[in-house]
């Protein structure tokens, strides 16, 4: 059985897409980011939680502050990327549930009244949304360089608040000529999938 998605789209989103480590200096516009969000906001989450929050780091001053919290190997590529996004989980996402889950507005209090439960759900579902966001970047013809090598407490203090947990930093732009490391191996179907 073949996939319904066009092979060129399969390549764009998955087979030929890789983490970009270098970008051209072509800017990434607010319109591009809005188009990406307007596509990926439809990706499924539990209770339609949508806890992902995105901080776009555009100014040189903000970029400098962000770079200081990154692992050494991530600093130069982030300093040079056309746009950088901090993807975070909103641990108070439940406040939006009466609007986002209107057929069961009581879900806010019935399931998410305790902070540890919210944090766990926010991390899982915002991580799902972060994956959708990366696919959306690829769908826009751009490249993504997601990274988790950073000082989370420093980024939280500098750019977020106590209700938002950083998940990853993503460099965004058009890939430069030598943007990619060689493709790393993947596990086979047999190594991953088990039937019971």
């Amino acid at each position: 059985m073949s996939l319904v998605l066009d092979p060129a789209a399969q390549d764009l989103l998955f087979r030929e897409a890789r983490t970009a480590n270098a970008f051209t200096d072509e800017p990434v516009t607010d319109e591009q980011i809005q188009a990406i969000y307007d596509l990926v906001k439809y990706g499924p989450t539990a209770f339609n939680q949508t806890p992902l929050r995105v901080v776009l780091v555009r100014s040189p001053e903000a970029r400098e502050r962000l770079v200081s919290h990154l692992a050494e190997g991530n600093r130069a590529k982030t300093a040079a990327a056309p746009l950088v996004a901090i993807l975070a989980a909103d641990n108070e996402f439940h406040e939006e549930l009466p609007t986002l889950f209107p057929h069961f507005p009581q879900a806010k209090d019935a399931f998410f009244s305790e902070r540890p439960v919210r944090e766990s759900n926010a991390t899982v579902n915002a991580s799902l949304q972060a994956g959708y966001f990366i696919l959306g970047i690829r769908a826009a013809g751009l490249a993504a360089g997601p990274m988790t090598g950073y000082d989370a407490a420093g980024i939280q203090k500098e750019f977020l608040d106590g209700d938002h947990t950083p998940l990853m930093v993503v460099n965004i732009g058009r890939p430069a000529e030598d943007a990619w490391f060689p493709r790393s191996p993947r596990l086979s179907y047999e190594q991953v999938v088990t039937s019971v």
Side-chain angles (χ1 to χ4, degrees), residues 44-116:
T45 58
F47 292 92
N48 198 31
Q49 289 176 21
T50 62
L52 180 70
R53 299 296 179 265
V54 181
V55 176
L56 299 177
V57 181
R58 289 198 180 276
S59 74
E61 297 80 17
R63 184 76 60 100
E64 188 174 318
R65 290 182 1 242
L66 174 62
V67 166
S68 72
H69 296 291
L70 299 179
E72 186 64 40
N74 292 333
R75 291 180 178 180
K77 57 188 171 184
T78 300
L83 179 63
V84 182
I86 300 169
L87 304 188
D90 180 359
N91 297 306
E92 297 299 314
F93 69 87
H94 69 306
E95 296 296 342
E96 304 293 340
L97 286 180
T99 300
L100 296 173
F101 207 62
H103 53 283
F104 185 36
Q106 303 87 342
K108 172 189 171 198
D109 298 315
F111 296 104
F112 303 108
S113 61
E114 296 179 16
R115 177 71 181 230

Side-chain angles (χ1 to χ4, degrees), residues 11 16 31 48 55 76 84 87 93 101 114 116-117 122 125 131 136 142-143 151 158 166 180 189:
D11 289 342
E16 292 180 6
E31 292 78 16
N48 198 31
V55 176
V84 182
L87 304 188
F93 69 87
F101 207 62
E114 296 179 16
V117 173
N125 288 282
L142 300 170
D151 170 16
E158 191 82 37
W180 324 112
Y189 176 86

Side-chain angles (χ1 to χ4, degrees), residues 124-157:
V124 168
N125 288 282
S127 295
L128 275 174
Q129 290 187 283
Y132 303 146
F133 188 77
I134 291 167
L135 289 176
I137 291 168
R138 294 172 178 176
L142 300 170
M147 302 170 295
T148 55
Y150 56 79
D151 170 16
I155 288 179
Q156 184 177 40
K157 182 178 179 183

